[in-house]
Amino acid sequence: MKRLAVYCGSATPADPRYIELAREVGTSLAGQGIGVVYGGGRLGLMGAIAGAARAAGGDVIGVIPEALVSREVANYDCDLTIVATMHERKAAFTRLSDGFLVLPGGVGTMDELWEAVSWAQLGYHGKPVGILNAFGFYDGLLEFNRHMAEVGFVRPAHQGIIMAERELDLLLTRMRAHEPITPIVKMNPDTL
Ligand code: AMP
């Protein structure tokens, strides 16, 4: 894995552990020679991970839609690409990365996570999707993921698309060993 798309919150929670986590992850990815592809802003966990990765000498690519340049405080201290639409941004994350790493976040992070999962199901990509379940933040989501499969809305094999661990290194080890699942169909990524 040379580069991971990192999805996380653009907010700064009151609990300082979240920003601290993002900094640690940024530093650790840079230390392991793994580049970061992310939303290109300076706010919240997104800004923290990018800043820490850069400070540790890592490669950071930011992709931000024009309309969010001032709102999300575009980060010019990275390899920044300004795109026209949110859709272009997300297609770029998929194209430029070797996998998806999800840290705690809000609705935008959820949008990106479930898109990575559904695009794996549809065969747009065969890349690992890892959730860093720090502080048990995603316990409820993982339970719901199981529930969807139990009820029959997600094929049992596809329930395992999401890998989740509380520790980054354990998660990265699993992501490196990832075997692509059998998708429902094999969509052409050029049609994204
Ligand atoms: P959030 O987790 O809500 O703080 O958002 C994290 C990032 O996801 C921000 O850079 C948002 O611009 C981005 N994002 C991507 N898709 C969406 C969406 N459909 N709604 C809101 N934010 C989104």
Side-chain angles (χ1 to χ4, degrees):
M1 294 190 300
K2 288 213 172 83
R3 261 193 230 134
L4 289 177
V6 180
Y7 296 153
C8 58
S10 56
T12 299
D15 183 340
R17 290 181 306 168
Y18 288 93
I19 291 290
E20 193 45 45
L21 171 76
R23 288 203 191 105
E24 285 169 11
V25 170
T27 305
S28 179
L29 292 177
Q32 298 184 49
I34 299 175
V36 169
V37 187
Y38 89 114
R42 283 191 184 273
L43 301 179
L45 273 69
M46 292 171 61
I49 201 166
R54 282 287 286 161
D59 287 337
V60 178
I61 296 175
V63 187
I64 193 164
E66 175 113 55
L68 291 178
V69 162
S70 64
R71 194 177 179 86
E72 290 193 347
V73 192
N75 179 12
Y76 293 97
D77 183 27
C78 73
D79 181 357
L80 187 70
T81 301
I82 298 174
V83 293
T85 65
M86 188 67 97
H87 194 76
E88 271 181 69
R89 176 201 237 185
K90 293 194 289 188
F93 290 150
T94 303
R95 195 178 60 250
L96 295 172
S97 68
D98 303 310
F100 306 89
L101 175 63
V102 182
L103 273 64
V107 169
T109 305
M110 293 303 90
D111 176 76
E112 292 161 337
L113 164 68
W114 288 114
E115 187 172 77
V117 175
S118 71
W119 285 1
Q121 286 192 165
L122 292 171
Y124 279 114
H125 70 78
K127 304 173 188 189
V129 182
I131 287 185
L132 185 58
N133 187 24
F135 325 123
F137 179 80
Y138 282 116
D139 284 350
L141 179 141
L142 296 170
E143 180 55 36
F144 183 63
N145 190 46
R146 275 191 290 275
H147 179 62
M148 285 194 292
E150 279 160 15
V151 173
F153 287 115
V154 173
R155 289 164 167 78
H158 294 172
Q159 180 195 339
I161 290 172
I162 294 179
M163 302 174 190
E165 294 290 344
R166 286 180 179 237
E167 300 289 331
L168 179 67
D169 287 343
L170 273 179
L171 181 59
L172 293 177
T173 299
R174 282 185 63 192
M175 290 174 72
R176 283 193 188 96
H178 162 74
E179 300 274 349
I181 51 100
T182 305
I184 298 168
V185 282
K186 185 80 191 78
M187 299 294 281
N188 180 350
D190 295 338
T191 64
L192 272 175

